[in-house]
Amino acid sequence: MPVSPSSAAQAAREAVAGRLQDLRKEAGLTIVELAHRCGWHYSKTSRIENALTGPTATDIRKWCEATRTQDQAQDLVVQSINAESMYREWRHQIRRGQKQLQESLVQFYRDTELFRVYSSTLVPGLLQTEGYAAAVLRRAARFRDLPIEDSAEAARARVERSRVIHEQGHRFVIVVEESVLRYQMADSDAMAAQLGHLLTAGALPAVSLGIVPMAARERMRWPDETFSVYDDALVSVELVSAEVNVTQPSEIALYLKAFEELRRLAVYGAEARALILRAIEALG
């Protein structure tokens, strides 16, 4: 099983902290001595070295100046920025509302050529209808106690963003668990509209929609966390508390391997449509 993305983010922070600690020790400085040279309390040095506090670019430059390793400062600044950007808490991302978050990704989607999406929980945002999206975003707003309730506007922005599936120059390989079709995330009318949209979207030339049947025998790959791979360059993983962005090539390779295994478990075409139609019939 791949390493938890939140653990991977913490490991990246710890790698920066460990390197800073090594520089201090190689310079023959105690925690107190380094703190004095940097002009801060020694407890800050301890927090940084134990990865409890992420160092700022200024902190790193002062640290390297204190240890006479200024030539390593820029590389450490970049490494620290990458580590901190891996793990972005939802409360920071949506502080200006969910609509703003949806709109912030429009250009990124337009710049991406190949989307690989796996979902074990929800219909992926790229294929959501406005009614389904509004229900999902409304629940998210309540769960996170958002000060701004803009789920309706955010749903419209999400649907608008998803028009990228009709634009040339993009390919979408999407795999969902069959259980996604059965989860009642909205009322019956909205669910029927959503499932009907999957029938239409799955037939688009640029879209490959696969569904992993619940009845798959001798399943060789367990359901994983929902994740998206963008052009082999970035993996975005959704957690309860945060979104984790994975850019390390070795970790991306693990997610691509998992995706291929899940993709091979899925059914497509007429078999996938049959599963969707059964889910529609089950709505009553």
Side-chain angles (χ1 to χ4, degrees), residues 4-26:
S4 160
S6 57
S7 297
Q10 181 61 23
R13 292 194 193 101
E14 290 172 357
V16 174
R19 183 61 189 139
L20 290 173
Q21 184 181 65
D22 289 343
L23 293 181
R24 175 182 62 78
K25 290 181 176 179
E26 289 166 7

Side-chain angles (χ1 to χ4, degrees), residues 30-272:
T30 66
I31 287 177
V32 174
E33 288 169 340
L34 183 129
H36 178 72
R37 290 191 182 187
C38 292
W40 60 56
H41 195 272
Y42 66 85
S43 63
K44 178 174 177 176
T45 303
S46 180
R47 290 197 305 273
I48 290 174
E49 289 192 357
N50 287 286
L52 299 176
T53 298
T56 65
T58 299
D59 292 340
I60 291 172
R61 291 192 175 95
K62 285 185 176 181
W63 196 295
C64 289
E65 184 177 350
T67 57
R68 296 186 174 87
T69 55
Q70 291 93 327
D71 60 319
Q72 298 188 43
Q74 188 56 35
D75 284 346
L76 277 166
V77 168
V78 171
Q79 187 179 354
S80 180
I81 290 172
N82 288 340
E84 294 306 314
S85 67
M86 285 176 66
Y87 192 93
R88 298 188 296 170
E89 288 187 77
W90 291 118
R91 64 188 176 90
H92 293 310
Q93 294 194 66
I94 54 183
R95 61 185 180 276
R96 287 180 288 176
Q98 296 188 100
K99 179 176 181 286
Q100 184 273 334
L101 177 60
Q102 304 302 314
E103 293 175 336
S104 69
L105 295 172
V106 170
Q107 191 58 51
F108 175 71
Y109 275 36
R110 287 178 176 162
D111 292 341
T112 301
E113 294 182 5
L114 176 59
F115 296 74
R116 296 184 184 91
V117 181
Y118 166 75
S119 180
S120 57
T121 53
L122 300 171
V123 172
L126 281 164
L127 300 182
Q128 288 181 7
T129 59
E130 188 173 327
Y132 182 94
V136 168
L137 293 169
R138 191 161 50 245
R139 285 179 171 81
R142 284 202 298 265
F143 178 72
R144 296 181 179 120
D145 295 324
L146 299 186
I148 301 174
E149 172 39 279
D150 63 347
S151 54
E153 294 87 349
R156 287 193 288 273
R158 174 171 287 186
V159 171
E160 183 63 30
R161 183 189 70 186
S162 299
R163 296 190 189 283
V164 69
I165 68 172
H166 299 287
E167 297 176 4
Q168 293 185 343
H170 308 282
R171 289 192 298 126
F172 306 86
V173 185
I174 299 173
V175 177
V176 302
E177 299 286 340
E178 184 186 353
S179 54
V180 167
L181 310 177
R182 303 284 182 155
Y183 293 144
Q184 297 282 306
M185 301 306 300
D187 61 40
S188 295
D189 289 342
M191 286 300 303
Q194 175 62 77
L195 294 172
H197 179 65
L198 289 183
L199 293 172
T200 303
L204 292 173
V207 176
S208 169
L209 176 60
I211 300 173
V212 181
M214 291 187 291
R217 294 186 177 181
E218 297 184 11
R219 179 168 178 155
M220 300 300 292
R221 182 80 203 173
W222 54 87
D224 281 313
E225 63 268 17
T226 291
F227 64 89
S228 300
V229 187
Y230 304 96
D231 283 340
D232 294 0
L234 171 70
V235 177
S236 176
V237 187
E238 296 185 10
L239 306 178
V240 171
S241 60
E243 176 187 47
V244 175
N245 290 325
V246 177
T247 56
Q248 183 70 22
S250 61
E251 291 187 80
I252 291 175
L254 274 178
Y255 276 98
L256 288 173
K257 180 179 179 181
F259 185 84
E260 285 305 304
E261 291 183 2
L262 291 160
R263 187 182 63 80
R264 286 194 292 268
L265 288 172
V267 296
Y268 300 84
E271 289 182 86

